[in-house]
Amino acid sequence: MTERSVTHASFHIERTFDASPARVFAAWSEPEARYRWFVSGEGFEVGDYRHDFRVGGHEHSRFLSQERGSTFTNDTWYQDIVPGERIVFTYAMDEDGRRFSVSLSTAEFRAEGAGTKLLFTEQAVFLEGADGSEMRKAGWTHLFEQLAKEVTRQAETAQ
Amino acid sequence: MTSRSVAHGTFCIERVFDASPARVYRAFADPEQKRRWACHEDWRTVEMEVRRGGREISRGGDPGGPVYTFEGLYQDVVENERLVIAYTMDRDDVRLSASVQTLEFRAEGEKTRLVFTDMGAFLDGHDTPQHREAGSGIGLDNLEQFLRRERAAA
């Protein structure tokens, strides 16, 4: 019989970007931009990605981890969107069909001078086989590095 | 202009029920059961399917007042052990909150310890974690009375 365990944890990340809230928000809302910083990455192969950025929208992505040799899926549901200001979503992750986490995430975009302060809060339920709070926070921190590159790239392309 | 804010709150309620985990779980997972303790004239379950990916929708409010809608999606279902549901609460067209709720049914001798954990993002000051916790507590009081009546009738 599987040893059952559930852990509840919250974490918070703040990070600034050299772009307006509208531009940082657009990197989430536009499919090609999001694919570049959020979906694609080193160490895994993207099998599937469906973009559906709207309240009530459901996004599904599937990717193969080269290191683990297993298939991960991410199902995301958007619950609140205030353009340029806020995104609230729930996402669940599975490894080889086994759900290991369910998270409620809030991303707030606040103008700070000519830039943006991102305030990201995650409230997570970690099930059996989960990475846990520290690793999850590190994962998002890395993604926000990718987001910063995307936002810079867009600004350079626009010049 | 609306003042935007998000308040994050987590609460955990533990209750011990004089019934087996299977019995308490059934009160939550069986729509006919749940209606008997969770619903009343001002609150009805419209849709309920307890399986991963299944939806639960309930609606109600005071007559002539705003309509509250609970809309949830089951994220993890382990029979007699655990339910995880992601849900939103709306008042008419206004989204009050988004939350993730975990119910764990733990055997304690012949009884069950229900561990109810609710993590929420409360939007723009429309509702608060404290108010949500109080409402959840009332729901569990109703469950306790329901199970007690059943034992007394046996």
Side-chain angles (χ1 to χ4, degrees), chain B residues 75-150:
Chain B
Q75 297 290 335
D76 188 57
V77 173
V78 182
E79 191 176 1
N80 300 334
E81 294 192 43
R82 175 167 86 214
L83 293 167
V84 180
I85 184 168
Y87 73 93
T88 53
M89 193 75 85
D90 294 351
R91 183 180 60 224
D92 289 335
D93 290 338
V94 177
R95 180 132 295 167
L96 306 183
S97 64
S99 311
V100 176
Q101 188 177 96
T102 305
L103 283 75
E104 296 168 76
F105 305 85
R106 299 182 191 169
E108 245 179 44
E110 306 214 327
K111 301 186 183 189
T112 300
R113 176 176 295 273
L114 172 69
V115 181
F116 179 111
T117 307
D118 191 292
M119 311 175 94
F122 292 82
L123 308 175
D124 305 325
H126 296 303
D127 198 358
T128 67
Q130 294 75 15
H131 185 247
R132 187 64 54 81
E133 181 171 2
S136 302
I138 292 169
L140 296 179
D141 290 343
N142 293 342
L143 172 60
E144 182 165 6
Q145 284 176 28
F146 169 70
L147 291 172
R148 189 172 290 164
R149 276 199 306 272
E150 181 180 73

Side-chain angles (χ1 to χ4, degrees), chain A residues 90-120:
Chain A
T90 293
Y91 76 97
M93 296 201 66
D94 297 0
E95 181 173 14
D96 290 338
R98 198 184 55 253
R99 183 138 293 174
F100 64 86
S101 73
V102 182
S103 302
L104 173 67
S105 296
T106 304
E108 294 172 87
F109 307 89
R110 291 197 195 154
E112 216 174 62
T116 298
K117 183 181 227 176
L118 168 68
L119 293 91
F120 182 81

Side-chain angles (χ1 to χ4, degrees), chain A:
Chain A
M1 183 175 150
T2 317
E3 191 62 40
R4 296 283 174 206
S5 79
V6 183
T7 306
H8 295 89
S10 296
F11 59 84
H12 186 74
I13 299 169
E14 291 190 12
R15 158 157 204 159
T16 52
F17 296 87
D18 285 337
S20 68
R23 310 273 358 243
V24 183
F25 178 89
W28 290 74
S29 66
E30 291 167 7
E32 295 82 16
R34 180 120 62 80
Y35 192 92
R36 282 191 293 266
W37 71 268
F38 182 77
V39 182
S40 67
E42 286 172 19
F44 53 87
E45 205 177 294
V46 181
D48 244 341
Y49 172 60
R50 182 174 73 232
H51 184 90
D52 190 14
F53 186 79
R54 60 184 177 91
V55 175
H58 173 208
E59 296 181 342
H60 177 83
S61 57
R62 184 169 54 86
F63 42 100
L64 179 65
S65 164
Q66 279 142 15
E67 183 193 0
R68 292 171 75 93
S70 53
T71 299
F72 285 83
T73 56
N74 175 319
D75 284 280
T76 293
W77 294 268
Y78 292 99
Q79 290 149 324
D80 184 62
I81 296 172
V82 181
E85 294 189 48
R86 174 170 89 206
I87 307 167
V88 180
F89 58 99
T90 293
Y91 76 97
M93 296 201 66
D94 297 0
E95 181 173 14
D96 290 338
R98 198 184 55 253
R99 183 138 293 174
F100 64 86
S101 73
V102 182
S103 302
L104 173 67
S105 296
T106 304
E108 294 172 87
F109 307 89
R110 291 197 195 154
E112 216 174 62
T116 298
K117 183 181 227 176
L118 168 68
L119 293 91
F120 182 81
T121 304
E122 178 154 329
Q123 295 159 286
V125 183
F126 292 108
L127 306 173
E128 299 78 22
D131 46 333
S133 187
E134 286 303 307
M135 282 186 64
R136 191 63 62 93
K137 183 174 180 177
W140 279 106
T141 301
H142 171 73
L143 284 172
F144 296 146
E145 279 295 313
Q146 301 297 111
L147 173 58
K149 288 177 189 163
E150 170 61 28
V151 165
T152 303
R153 176 194 173 282
Q154 283 194 9
E156 285 167 358
T157 306
Q159 275 158 15

